[in-house]
């Protein structure tokens, strides 16, 4: 069965059980300060679980784009080295919001895997939460009893809180879970060691494929558990692993999800996949990373120098470097994989198809700029390693790693990886120290020196009249000078002002201060400690004079609002 068919079969199976298909939420998270990327299918349903929001449908099925490269769930170092971790992966899920619970979740999971996908029952194991004293939680007897009806008891494994109690983070919705594992080893290997003993032991052929979470608690910040107002189901199946199991492959990368990409790289490099371990890692890194890069760009995250953008840049540079060193790609190559992303994933995730050209362009530009310095950086690193070897040293200093980062754009994990390949380690603390030093330097450089307020007239209080007028006859109460690298800037406060100060997304007004002899530009207006501060190009020659303050009318975004309406209404009432 092809991957596309496996995915649609999942959705159709749950549709036949009254589930509504919903599209994946974006892989880039914009409204949660604790999360940069979607790392689990349940992220978008958090509020529905907590009871803060009414779920739109009681039953939902989806395929969620997830990325696990930062934070609590972090797989980046494993990716490409092994055959079953990914940066970006799809999580197939079925969801119940206060509707069905353990019985149906368990029965349907088993039906789909064994009857629809026809995975052999004697290769599957399931696990049940054994309970936890600290949290005062009993064993999940209910789940055990449902499993017992369909699975021989010797295939049910009891699991600890670590594996069988799912939590999104330190706080939030959580609950006991049942995982389904599959043993993909050969018959011979299976005879020698029981699969049951290898579950949850990092065996590359005995892997978890599906996690059924029974959401019933909210973990509060004091560590305690509170019952949720309703009980829910959150299941997550690793799509790439499922495809591998159904297609009888020993690696996720041997499936039709990745092989078209590997074939392309084989053709381009003239090297074959499966012949050399180092080259194979490079193939896997690239075909994994191109997905993460393309999907995040499609969802609006461009590579950059901080936060989520830097995560993407790091992933991209890791891929470029592997291609450069092990597949001899000296020119940009990643972007050429974009059409394959579009044809292979465009149906289920239309955004990668719609934005194919844009994605390719962004990737190509990033590659071009990194390749410009990669060669020099690698040569420098070779020289450093040779020098260290000559001195019998094995640690690359933080200063060197920082120089590579600063001058050649080498992310720390890339330098660390190259160091390890040569049997060296890296002084990460020293790197962090250098980084901090640089931050302090640039902070100092951008710092400005704010002078004291100079009083011109007594502070009689500031009158904002901008809701009703765009002009006023005013005088300056006080002013000050702000010096920074770019020169002097001036701020002043007026006794009466029609200028609206920037706030709540509305930009500050601009305009002029006009006296008989001068016309001074007001470039911005901002609120500071309840004062309306005007940013002007220069100080008036005589600040004690009166000025006509005029707002640029054409550009003004402030229109009549409730304040003006109330004011007008009150005057009207007074007249009555
Ligand atoms: N939330 C669970 C997980 O991410 C199941 O979807 O594994």
């Amino acid at each position: 069965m092809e991957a596309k068919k496996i995915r649609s079969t999942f959705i159709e199976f749950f549709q036949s059980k009254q589930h509504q298909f919903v599209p994946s939420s974006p892989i880039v998270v914009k409204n949660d300060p604790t999360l940069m990327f979607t790392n689990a299918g349940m992220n978008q349903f958090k509020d529905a679980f907590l009871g803060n929001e009414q779920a739109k449908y009681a039953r939902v099925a989806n395929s969620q784009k997830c990325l696990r490269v930062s934070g609590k769930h972090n797989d980046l170092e494993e990716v490409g080295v092994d055959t079953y971790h990914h940066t970006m992966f799809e999580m197939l899920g079925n969801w119940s919001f206060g509707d069905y619970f353990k019985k149906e979740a368990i029965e349907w999971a088993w039906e789909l895997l064994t009857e629809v996908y026809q995975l052999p029952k004697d290769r599957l194991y399931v696990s049940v939460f054994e309970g936890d004293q600290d949290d005062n939680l009993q064993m999940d007897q209910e789940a055990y009893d449902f499993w017992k009806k369909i699975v021989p008891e010797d295939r049910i494994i009891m699991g600890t809180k670590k594996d069988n109690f799912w939590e999104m983070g330190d706080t939030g919705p959580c609950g006991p879970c049942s995982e389904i594992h599959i043993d993909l080893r050969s018959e011979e290997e299976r005879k020698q060691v029981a699969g049951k003993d290898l579950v949850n032991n990092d065996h590359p052929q005995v892997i978890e494929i599906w996690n059924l979470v029974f959401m019933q608690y909210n973990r509060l910040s004091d560590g305690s558990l509170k019952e949720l107002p309703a009980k829910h189901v959150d299941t997550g199946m690793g799509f790439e692993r499922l495809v591998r199991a159904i297609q009888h492959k020993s690696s996720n990368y041997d499936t039709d999800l990745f092989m078209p990409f590997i074939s392309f790289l084989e053709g381009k490099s003239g090297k074959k996949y499966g012949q050399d371990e180092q080259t194979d890692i490079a193939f896997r890194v690239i075909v994994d990373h191109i997905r993460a890069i393309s999907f995040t760009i499609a969802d609006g995250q461009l590579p950059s120098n901080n936060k989520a953008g830097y995560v993407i840049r790091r992933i991209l540079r890791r891929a470029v470097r592997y291609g450069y060193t092990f597949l001899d790609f000296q020119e940009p190559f990643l972007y050429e994989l974009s059409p394959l992303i579009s044809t292979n994933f465009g149906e289920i995730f239309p955004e990668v198809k719609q934005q194919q050209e844009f994605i390719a362009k962004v990737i190509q530009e990033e590659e071009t700029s990194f390749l410009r310095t990669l060669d020099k950086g690698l040569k420098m690193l070779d020289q450093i390693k040779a020098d260290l070897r000559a001195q019998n040293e094995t640690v690359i200093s933080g200063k060197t790693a920082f120089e590579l980062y600063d001058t050649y754009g080498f992310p720390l994990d890339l330098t660390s990886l190259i160091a390890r390949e040569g049997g060296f380690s890296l002084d990460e603390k020293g790197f962090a120290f250098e980084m901090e030093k640089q931050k302090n330097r640039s902070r100092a450089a951008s710092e400005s020196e704010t002078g004291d307020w100079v009083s011109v007239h007594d502070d009689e209080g500031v009158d904002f009249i901008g809701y009703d007028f765009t002009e006023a006859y005013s005088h300056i109460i006080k002013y000050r000078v702000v010096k920074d690298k770019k020169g002097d800037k001036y701020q002043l406060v007026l006794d009466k002002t029609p200028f609206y100060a920037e706030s709540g997304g509305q930009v500050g007004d601009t305009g002029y201060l006009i006296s008989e002899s001068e016309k001074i530009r007001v470039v911005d207006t901002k609120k500071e400690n309840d004062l309306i501060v005007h940013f002007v190009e220069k100080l008036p020659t005589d600040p004690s004079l009166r000025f006509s303050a005029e707002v640029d009318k054409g550009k003004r975004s402030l229109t009549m609002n409730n304040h003006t309406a109330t004011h007008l209404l009150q005057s009207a009432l007074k007249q009555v």
Side-chain angles (χ1 to χ4, degrees):
M1 201 189 269
E2 284 185 358
K4 281 184 188 169
K5 179 82 183 144
I6 295 172
R7 190 194 287 113
S8 62
T9 300
F10 178 92
I11 306 287
E12 282 155 21
F13 176 81
F14 283 103
Q15 278 174 331
S16 78
K17 306 212 182 289
Q18 290 76 51
H19 287 62
Q20 171 71 36
F21 170 75
V22 300
S24 170
S25 67
I27 197 166
V28 183
V29 178
K30 289 282 181 212
N31 54 1
D32 184 344
T34 64
L35 212 55
M36 285 200 276
F37 300 104
T38 300
N39 65 2
M42 57 85 60
N43 294 162
Q44 67 165 316
F45 301 120
K46 188 172 152 186
D47 282 332
F49 285 149
L50 291 174
N52 298 338
E53 188 183 286
Q54 175 71 32
K56 222 165 153 196
Y57 310 99
R59 298 178 181 188
V60 160
N62 68 346
S63 175
Q64 175 66 47
K65 305 171 280 189
C66 297
L67 191 67
R68 289 192 179 171
V69 285
S70 52
K72 187 171 155 82
H73 302 279
N74 185 349
D75 295 338
L76 184 61
E77 290 301 312
E78 324 286 340
V79 176
V81 179
D82 72 20
T83 55
Y84 61 106
H85 279 100
H86 298 289
T87 49
M88 182 253 157
F89 62 97
E90 277 180 68
M91 197 183 266
L92 301 176
N94 57 291
W95 309 81
S96 153
F97 301 104
D99 192 51
Y100 63 85
F101 204 43
K102 296 181 189 177
K103 180 175 185 293
E104 292 84 348
I106 287 171
E107 286 175 2
W108 290 340
W110 195 252
E111 183 188 336
L112 177 63
L113 291 183
T114 62
E115 287 171 33
V116 180
Y117 291 136
Q118 307 217 327
L119 289 173
K121 290 180 184 166
D122 68 345
R123 285 179 178 267
L124 295 173
Y125 296 89
V126 301
S127 62
V128 168
F129 180 50
E130 66 181 12
D132 185 77
Q133 269 190 347
D134 292 345
D135 276 329
N136 199 16
L137 292 172
Q138 305 290 317
M139 163 207 171
D140 191 352
Q141 187 67 46
E142 211 187 345
Y144 190 92
D145 291 342
F146 288 128
W147 278 121
K148 208 169 67 176
K149 288 191 190 144
I150 46 179
V151 180
E153 278 187 78
D154 63 356
R155 302 201 146 261
I156 309 178
I157 296 160
M158 301 311 295
T160 62
K161 184 159 123 181
K162 178 178 155 278
D163 293 315
N164 284 85
F165 192 86
W166 202 85
E167 314 205 30
M168 183 183 130
D170 295 334
T171 58
C174 53
C177 58
S178 264
E179 293 177 343
I180 303 174
H181 295 253
I182 189 160
D183 182 354
L184 296 167
R185 291 173 307 152
S186 66
E187 292 297 343
E188 272 170 28
E189 285 172 293
R190 289 174 66 213
K191 273 185 203 132
Q192 282 161 14
V193 183
K196 193 176 176 180
D197 297 335
L198 299 174
V199 167
N200 278 331
N201 271 320
D202 288 332
H203 192 291
Q205 304 295 336
V206 184
I207 51 174
E208 176 200 337
I209 46 172
W210 204 347
N211 188 13
L212 318 181
V213 184
F214 312 117
M215 292 287 182
Q216 29 188 138
Y217 304 103
N218 182 12
R219 172 84 65 191
L220 303 179
S221 49
D222 65 2
S224 64
L225 292 175
K226 191 171 161 238
E227 288 266 353
L228 290 174
K231 291 175 180 164
H232 318 279
V233 170
D234 151 16
T235 88
M237 174 140 65
F239 178 55
E240 295 75 11
R241 293 181 181 188
L242 174 71
V243 173
R244 161 182 166 190
I246 294 174
Q247 295 182 354
H248 303 292
K249 304 290 184 192
S250 57
S251 151
N252 292 8
Y253 294 90
D254 292 343
T255 65
D256 65 338
L257 282 171
F258 294 96
M259 274 323 280
F261 296 82
I262 291 183
S263 303
F264 178 88
L265 293 176
E266 284 182 329
K268 193 170 166 63
S269 66
K271 300 195 185 224
K272 280 262 156 245
Y273 182 61
Q275 293 190 337
D276 170 79
E277 184 53 15
Q278 260 320 336
T279 322
D280 285 355
I281 292 176
F283 276 111
R284 290 196 291 264
V285 163
I286 296 166
V287 302
D288 171 275
H289 289 10
I290 186 64
R291 300 183 349 143
I293 300 160
S294 308
F295 278 87
T296 46
I297 294 175
D299 277 345
Q301 184 58 65
L302 297 183
S304 74
N305 255 349
N306 50 47
K307 297 196 181 147
Y310 192 57
V311 174
I312 303 311
R313 182 163 277 174
R314 268 169 52 207
I315 295 176
L316 187 142
R317 291 184 173 182
R318 189 169 185 251
V320 171
R321 185 264 161 172
Y322 267 104
Y324 181 91
T325 305
F326 300 106
L327 301 180
D328 301 331
F329 293 146
Q330 319 286 316
E331 300 291 328
F333 64 94
L334 274 177
Y335 78 98
E336 291 180 28
L337 293 165
S338 285
L340 284 173
I341 291 279
S342 169
T343 39
N344 283 276
F345 300 102
E347 270 165 51
I348 177 87
F349 306 115
E351 60 279 13
V352 290
K353 193 174 190 160
Q354 284 151 7
Q355 298 186 52
Q356 187 205 315
E357 275 175 34
F358 174 70
I359 296 169
K361 199 160 165 272
V362 172
I363 296 177
Q364 190 184 7
E365 276 171 16
E366 274 289 307
E367 285 187 272
T368 309
S369 87
F370 184 50
L371 278 166
R372 246 181 251 139
T373 53
L374 180 66
D375 183 50
K376 282 191 210 138
L378 286 174
K379 285 199 178 112
M380 174 174 159
L381 205 43
D382 279 346
Q383 185 58 47
I384 291 160
K385 288 198 280 191
D387 292 348
L388 287 175
R389 254 186 227 110
Q391 296 157 22
N392 263 337
E393 293 276 351
T394 54
V395 185
I396 296 183
S397 74
K399 207 164 174 192
T400 306
F402 184 75
E403 200 179 327
L404 281 161
Y405 162 81
D406 205 29
T407 319
Y408 301 109
F410 276 41
L412 183 66
D413 43 11
L414 183 58
T415 308
S416 160
L417 188 92
I418 300 170
R420 262 181 286 141
E421 282 168 7
F424 292 88
S425 65
L426 193 82
D427 175 11
E428 294 196 12
K429 273 204 188 119
F431 176 88
F433 177 73
E434 294 296 328
M435 185 73 135
E436 194 52 38
K437 253 178 31 192
Q438 196 206 41
K439 277 196 186 138
N440 288 339
R441 274 196 302 273
S442 52
R443 218 173 281 142
S446 68
E447 243 162 32
S448 52
E449 210 184 301
T450 308
D452 290 328
W453 286 109
V454 180
S455 275
V456 181
H457 286 279
D458 283 341
D459 185 354
E460 315 103 323
V462 178
D463 193 10
F464 171 63
I465 55 166
Y467 284 123
D468 304 307
F469 301 97
T470 50
E471 284 176 36
Y473 197 49
S474 319
H475 63 237
I476 296 171
I477 296 179
K478 55 184 180 180
Y479 69 84
R480 67 178 174 188
V481 185
V482 181
K483 293 177 189 296
D484 71 7
K485 299 201 292 268
K486 291 190 195 137
D488 289 357
K489 295 198 172 62
Y490 308 94
Q491 301 177 356
L492 46 87
V493 178
L494 300 174
D495 66 334
K496 199 193 287 169
T497 180
F499 286 80
Y500 181 79
E502 175 186 312
S503 95
Q506 172 127 25
V507 293
D509 279 337
T510 55
Y512 290 97
L513 293 185
I514 305 164
S515 72
E516 266 173 27
S517 55
E518 280 175 300
K519 189 169 179 185
I520 294 172
R521 181 87 188 131
V522 176
V523 290
D524 203 356
T525 310
K526 288 187 180 163
K527 215 168 204 160
E528 275 185 30
N529 302 328
D530 277 323
L531 280 180
I532 297 173
V533 180
H534 305 80
F535 291 67
V536 288
E537 270 174 358
K538 66 184 211 70
L539 277 181
T541 325
D542 184 355
S544 66
L545 291 180
R546 281 191 169 269
F547 288 81
S548 159
E550 292 182 6
V551 173
D552 286 334
K553 295 189 191 76
K555 287 201 208 139
R556 192 157 216 232
S557 48
L558 193 66
T559 49
M560 181 164 122
N561 63 8
N562 285 343
H563 181 281
T564 316
T566 316
H567 182 78
L568 291 177
L569 188 66
Q570 277 168 351
S571 335
L573 283 174
K574 258 187 224 150
Q575 283 168 22
V576 172

